[in-house]
Amino acid sequence: MGYLRLGETIDATKNIIVTFYVESEVSLTEVAESLAAESSIGTWTDISTMREDIMNRLGARIFYVNQEESVIKIAYPLELFEERNLPQLLSDVAGNVFGMKDIKNLRVRDIDFPESYVRKFDGPAFGLTGIRKFLGISDRPLLGTIIKPKVGLSADEHALVAYEAWLGGVDIVKDDENLSDQDFNPFDERLYKTLKVKEKVEKETGEKKMYVPNITAPVSKMLDRAKLAKSTGCGVVMLDIITVGWSGVQFIRDQNLGLVLHGHRAMHGAFTHGNRHGVAMLPLAKIARLAGIDQLHTGTVVGKMHGAAETVIETNNALKGDWYGIKPTMPIASGGLHPGHIEALVNILGNDIIMNFGGGIHGHPDGTYKGARAARQAIDAVMEGILLPEYAKTHKELDNALLQWGYRKSSDSESKVANTYQFNFT
């Protein structure tokens, strides 16, 4: 009773299909058999308790093997999976299989879900369209900043930096992934003080702003912080979705608090880095969307984080595309960005994106306020179809940013783009 079913027609409406990349010193079909067994109903040897009816109903089916590319596809009958249970899903298809001796490298490249499985999930409460409505911004990319330094500022200092960023044109201010409830910056105090300056700057600018406090913690504390954010009118919270775990994400979403859920992917690189081992960002993004994440970090292409253009585009498309009634999740580009990157980001990733700047705003030679103005000016330039060096001639904050990060040389009177930041967008 083997699992190999090459050429068999698979009913995609009744199976979850997983695409694996596999490296092994044994033959690909042999290791595929072991992988299919371990991730569904089998074990390492023949057993007397296995019945033909169990195998026919629940056994995984290896229906595609590409020897040259070391890729296999396995179909898992839906009956194997509990409804709305993402931890159990991953325990099946990405669990013990990573510990098998015969496998040298293994990567979950993609997971395709049938409609009947997807429709059991609520998905994002707001999604991409809801976030735009929240802020009253219909077309341009959203501009965000992470308060820097990551940790170390007091609640008062944190609020002041947020105020300067918002005043300079930032739409979204968020905590960094490792700021929670430390003694030097208590969560409750930071929340109240930052929301107070948010209200002030909204009156001064006439623009709606968003603050994203990090509620990452054990589940009971997360819920308390989420409820506090809701009661103060914050409207948005951030979870470190990998370290919190899918149970934690689903739990917060299931409370139906009416909060936008911002998904930070801290620790994802332990699984997604490279292309030969681990779990790719694409299936993780799909799972995050199922779990109810409204906006998710996916990569920058041009920043400091790992992620090729093709990979990030594919992931973003999976978040934004039609998916059996599940609202689209808004992608976030974050990590090592500065205003000189904005033209490339828009050309590569489009307008439906949140661009998060940390050092690229707070590292501006004239401070946070001018750094925020520079980033907003860069977005305005791109939306108006004007090259950044040209726009910078009449916008000093942007000009200083381009000089600061080497986008143009100070000796170049014509402000031509430095070769380092020339991209092929085709």
Side-chain angles (χ1 to χ4, degrees), residues 3 5 8-20 35-36 39-40 55 57-64 72-78 80-81 93 112:
Y3 299 87
R5 300 287 194 277
E8 182 175 306
T9 300
I10 299 298
D11 187 347
T13 67
K14 296 180 180 179
N15 290 271
I16 289 176
I17 296 173
V18 182
T19 302
F20 293 97
L35 196 160
S39 57
S40 62
M55 183 67 178
R57 192 175 82 252
L58 299 176
R61 287 165 168 76
I62 309 157
F63 67 95
Y64 175 88
I72 65 172
K73 292 188 178 185
I74 300 179
Y76 296 88
L78 271 181
L80 285 170
F81 304 99
V93 304
D112 290 312

Side-chain angles (χ1 to χ4, degrees), residues 274-397:
N275 55 20
R276 297 168 59 193
H277 193 76
V279 180
M281 189 61 207
L282 177 61
L284 290 180
K286 290 180 179 180
I287 291 168
R289 186 175 175 184
L290 287 177
I293 294 298
D294 293 282
Q295 49 194 46
L296 177 68
H297 295 239
T298 61
T300 65
V301 181
V302 297
K304 70 180 181 180
M305 296 300 185
H306 172 78
E310 181 181 1
T311 301
V312 177
I313 291 169
E314 184 180 30
T315 301
N316 289 3
N317 288 342
L319 289 177
K320 296 186 294 182
D322 292 338
W323 204 24
Y324 305 127
I326 300 291
K327 291 178 181 176
T329 296
M330 192 165 204
I332 303 167
S334 183
L337 297 177
H338 61 71
H341 288 131
I342 289 177
E343 187 174 30
L345 285 172
V346 172
N347 277 281
I348 297 169
L349 302 178
N351 290 343
D352 279 328
I353 193 166
I354 298 169
M355 299 178 181
N356 267 351
F357 298 80
I361 280 180
H362 309 297
H364 191 280
D366 299 315
T368 293
Y369 170 69
K370 295 293 182 69
R373 283 181 61 84
R376 184 68 174 266
Q377 288 165 2
I379 289 178
D380 291 343
V382 172
M383 295 303 292
E384 293 172 26
I386 304 172
L387 294 176
L388 296 187
E390 184 64 29
Y391 202 77
K393 291 178 181 179
T394 55
H395 295 81
K396 186 63 176 175
E397 294 88 356

Side-chain angles (χ1 to χ4, degrees), residues 135 137 140-145 165-166 168-173 209-210 339 342 353-357 361 371-379:
L135 289 168
I137 301 169
R140 68 168 172 84
L142 304 182
L143 176 58
T145 192
W166 276 320
V170 162
D171 305 304
I172 303 167
V173 167
K209 305 295 183 179
M210 181 182 283
I342 289 177
I353 193 166
I354 298 169
M355 299 178 181
N356 267 351
F357 298 80
I361 280 180
R373 283 181 61 84
R376 184 68 174 266
Q377 288 165 2
I379 289 178

Side-chain angles (χ1 to χ4, degrees), residues 17 81 129 146 151 202 219 225 232 247 398 410 412:
I17 296 173
F81 304 99
T129 303
I146 312 100
V151 294
E202 285 178 336
V219 170
R225 293 172 190 174
T232 59
S247 292
L398 176 59
S410 58
D412 188 349

Side-chain angles (χ1 to χ4, degrees), residues 25-44:
E25 298 195 359
V26 303
S27 72
L28 190 58
T29 52
E30 183 180 346
V31 76
E33 285 266 9
S34 298
L35 196 160
E38 185 64 41
S39 57
S40 62
I41 61 173
T43 187
W44 63 275

Side-chain angles (χ1 to χ4, degrees), residues 166-238:
W166 276 320
L167 192 64
V170 162
D171 305 304
I172 303 167
V173 167
K174 80 170 197 68
D175 295 348
D176 220 330
E177 77 280 353
N178 53 352
L179 179 62
S180 54
D181 188 32
Q182 290 94 325
D183 290 341
F184 54 80
N185 193 338
F187 179 87
D188 293 10
E189 184 181 353
R190 180 172 75 252
L191 178 67
Y192 288 124
K193 290 183 175 180
T194 306
L195 289 177
K196 186 175 181 180
V197 302
K198 182 178 86 76
E199 183 178 356
K200 172 180 170 62
V201 81
E202 285 178 336
K203 291 179 179 178
E204 292 175 350
T205 64
E207 295 181 346
K208 180 71 173 175
K209 305 295 183 179
M210 181 182 283
Y211 173 51
V212 188
N214 181 18
I215 67 169
T216 298
V219 170
S220 60
K221 289 185 178 180
M222 275 206 305
L223 180 57
D224 288 343
R225 293 172 190 174
K227 287 181 175 179
L228 180 61
K230 176 66 175 179
S231 69
T232 59
C234 181
V236 193
V237 294
M238 183 179 95

